Amino acid sequence: MIDIEKVLKELAKKRPVFHSEADFQHALAWEIRDKYQNFDIRLEQRLLISNEKFGYIDLILIDKSQGKKIFIELKYKTKNSRIEFKKTDVYDDEIFELKNHTAHTDNKKLFYHDIDRLEYLVRSNQNSEAYAIFLTNSHLYYKNGSTNCLHTYKKDTIVPKSISSNQNLAWLDYSAVKDVCGVEVLFKCLVVKILK
């Protein structure tokens, strides 16, 4: 239906870094629209996301031919970096001043919360699928570049089915850029396909 990892690989060639989560959301929607013209795309649509609560979903893709919905939630958490691109064939002059998102434990909890909401949506929408995507340049969210440390959030926390299941979750390389001091800044992403 949609190869979200392939979309992210293509996006990384054009946009290896983002100013904010909203910038990431817009760029991903644009890339999906470019690759899959049969989708209508909605950003920040308000939906019933549990038995009694409403919330906003980052991206909703609607396959016009099959009536299928794809729900996507994004997290973009960074550590301090100043990245500057000079004009080339691919980039314009642009400076990225990335802020330091602290509270790593809380951010993992919020990602779990996103997954819980998506699990409810795929259960309550028959013809649907969903993805939770976490993009970061902070090594504190992953171990050794590939281990999914979200499994070990907290002992007393209920881990969503989509994380605790057998699916092969791994942090993937998204991009590597140099900051203004010449130090490599590595971005990794985790793509979780939501299970019913």
Side-chain angles (χ1 to χ4, degrees):
M1 187 67 189
I2 184 171
D3 187 338
I4 199 70
E5 290 183 12
K6 184 176 180 182
V7 170
L8 288 166
K9 283 179 185 175
E10 290 300 312
L11 180 60
K13 295 173 187 174
K14 304 169 194 171
R15 293 296 312 276
V17 62
F18 304 96
H19 293 284
S20 64
E21 190 168 290
D23 185 28
F24 177 32
Q25 179 189 45
H26 179 264
L28 180 59
W30 195 277
E31 186 68 20
I32 291 169
R33 183 70 178 135
D34 190 44
K35 299 270 183 286
Y36 298 91
Q37 285 85 22
N38 59 314
F39 285 132
D40 281 336
I41 300 177
R42 302 292 180 263
L43 280 69
E44 298 295 337
Q45 184 175 341
R46 187 172 184 258
L47 294 174
L48 187 66
I49 54 167
S50 68
N51 290 327
E52 299 176 357
K53 293 183 181 178
F54 282 85
Y56 293 89
I57 301 302
D58 290 333
L59 290 172
I60 300 175
L61 315 178
I62 304 156
D63 184 330
K64 294 181 282 190
S65 63
Q66 299 181 21
K68 184 171 188 171
K69 289 186 178 178
I70 301 172
F71 305 102
I72 300 174
E73 283 284 87
L74 305 173
K75 283 285 176 280
Y76 180 61
K77 299 300 177 185
T78 57
K79 65 179 181 181
N80 278 347
S81 294
R82 180 181 166 91
I83 298 163
E84 186 174 342
F85 290 119
K86 298 293 185 187
K87 186 165 179 61
T88 66
D89 291 341
V90 180
Y91 309 117
D92 289 326
D93 286 337
E94 193 166 5
I95 297 172
F96 293 81
E97 297 280 359
L98 302 184
K99 68 183 284 186
N100 200 26
H101 292 116
T102 54
H104 296 89
T105 300
D106 289 341
N107 291 329
K108 291 177 189 179
K109 184 178 180 181
L110 289 172
F111 192 58
Y112 276 23
H113 180 62
D114 285 349
I115 292 169
D116 279 333
R117 297 182 332 148
L118 291 171
E119 287 179 352
Y120 176 86
L121 285 171
V122 296
R123 283 193 308 269
S124 54
N125 290 270
Q126 268 192 336
N127 193 15
S128 68
E129 62 186 64
Y131 299 89
I133 301 170
F134 199 117
L135 179 62
T136 186
N137 68 332
S138 174
H139 70 280
L140 296 175
Y141 292 106
Y142 53 85
K143 298 175 184 174
N144 302 324
S146 62
T147 306
N148 174 18
C149 70
L150 293 175
H151 281 291
T152 57
Y153 161 61
K154 271 187 182 176
K155 288 183 181 177
D156 61 346
T157 299
I158 297 172
V159 180
K161 179 181 178 182
S162 300
I163 290 281
S164 63
S165 72
N166 296 349
Q167 61 174 318
N168 185 21
L169 297 177
W171 288 88
L172 308 171
D173 289 343
Y174 177 77
S175 66
V177 295
K178 302 270 188 179
D179 69 11
V180 292
C181 298
V183 176
E184 184 175 74
V185 179
L186 179 64
F187 284 85
K188 287 187 170 282
C189 69
L190 180 69
V191 177
V192 179
K193 183 169 184 178
I194 303 305
L195 304 177
K196 293 191 179 190

